Amino acid sequence: MTFKKIIIDTDPGQDDAVAILLALASPENMAILGITTVAGNVPIDLTTRNARIVCELAKKSETAIYQGCDRPLAHTLVTAEHVHGKTGLDGPVLPEPTMPVQDQHAVDFIIETLRREPAGTVTLCPLGPLTNIATALQKAPDIAERIQEIVLMGGAYFEVGNITPAAEFNIYVDPEAAEIVFACGAPITVMPLDVTHKALVTQPRNDAFRALNTPVGIAVAEMTDFFERFDREKYGSDGAPLHDPCVIAYLIDPDMFSGRQINVEIETKSELTRGMTVADWWRVTDRKANALFIGDLDADRFFALLAERLGRL
Ligand code: RIB
Ligand code: CA
């Protein structure tokens, strides 16, 4: 795997938190140029607070955090407290953060970084609604060809929706933003519910986090304990799906994932199917393939990596 320079765009959320921790624990694989926050699971003030909490939990308070957009491009904000709790990071009791937030807006940080770094050397890792990324592309269209890759969590095909019958949350919240991102021409790898619902924190896997017996290991066990109730109730699944950490694990060990290079379009017109990712998995159209759509992972390898890396913090 090649060393990556990344920007994590995130709406923490317990699963975002685990993704950020995995990235912070993997300095031999990636350098985090910055963490940009976006409104999603909870409003922007809480997603920014939560990003700070997670960096301090990992003892990485030098991480640069930039606050971003507080609402989607065209809709009113839809949040997910019913999944993540009132704070967005319910489960563990963690201290209020003291580390700073950068003055620069997240969108300007994304633009400036992509223009400064050599073209094709920065990977964007969106873990929430795509509002910041789309706004940056609208403000500075020249950055599209400078992006090495966009590896995002969002969408669904065989798994269908988790916030409506048709749509996954990140895409549903800001479908216009997703439409801009999927059309921008940068290489895109998508971690949809089709794969993230196979990354379930079963009890033995949760026990492995707790058995690390560190503040990070215990906090992750408590986060995923809290976070699983929604999926257990709705899907009867055997544990919380670790959606966002799939993005970071892909950067570390892409071979644990498999998928297809296909066309993915975003529904933005119909209220009924708003935010649906129309994935041409069977290639029945002649629409241009614009994304690597991941459908499977080696879950044991994923959780072994996660436990090993979290154990470092
Ligand atoms: O649908 C799951 C996605 O929505 C995850 O990124 C979760 O954190 C929420 O943002
Ligand atoms: Ca998220």
Side-chain angles (χ1 to χ4, degrees), residues 83-244:
V83 179
H84 299 277
K86 206 165 54 58
T87 71
L89 213 50
D90 286 24
V93 178
L94 296 168
E96 280 306 305
T98 57
M99 66 178 284
V101 179
Q102 304 302 310
D103 294 338
Q104 189 176 31
H105 190 282
V107 168
D108 296 324
F109 167 73
I110 292 168
I111 295 168
E112 184 183 281
T113 304
L114 285 167
R115 284 178 170 163
R116 181 192 67 239
E117 298 294 326
T121 65
V122 176
T123 294
L124 303 182
C125 302
L127 310 179
L130 292 163
T131 316
N132 287 340
I133 312 301
T135 304
L137 286 164
Q138 283 181 315
K139 197 170 173 185
D142 59 289
I143 64 173
E145 61 189 14
R146 303 183 63 84
I147 299 167
Q148 178 178 42
E149 186 178 15
I150 299 173
V151 185
L152 66 91
M153 191 278 143
Y157 184 59
F158 294 103
E159 278 296 287
V160 289
N162 62 356
I163 187 77
T164 72
E168 176 279 327
F169 179 79
N170 288 339
I171 309 300
Y172 175 76
V173 168
D174 201 341
E176 286 72 18
E179 186 176 49
I180 289 167
V181 171
F182 276 78
C184 80
I188 296 177
T189 296
V190 183
M191 293 288 165
L193 298 180
D194 302 58
V195 62
T196 68
H197 278 181
K198 296 174 183 172
L200 299 178
V201 186
T202 57
Q203 194 54 54
R205 289 165 176 165
N206 188 283
D207 293 345
F209 294 145
R210 207 176 287 275
L212 293 172
N213 203 21
T214 60
V216 167
I218 292 165
V220 167
E222 290 171 342
M223 283 183 204
T224 49
D225 266 344
F226 180 89
F227 175 54
E228 80 167 5
R229 8 175 285 304
F230 170 77
D231 288 82
R232 190 181 287 282
E233 226 165 274
K234 175 171 179 149
Y235 299 101
S237 57
D238 181 16
L242 278 186
H243 306 290
D244 296 337

Side-chain angles (χ1 to χ4, degrees), residues 10-13 15-16 41 127-129 170 244:
T10 179
D11 65 334
D15 61 318
D16 302 69
N41 285 319
L127 310 179
N170 288 339
D244 296 337

Side-chain angles (χ1 to χ4, degrees), residues 265-280:
E265 303 293 338
I266 311 296
E267 173 59 72
T268 58
K269 303 283 176 293
S270 150
E271 250 325 291
L272 186 62
T273 53
R274 161 188 158 183
M276 181 175 186
T277 43
V278 183
D280 189 3

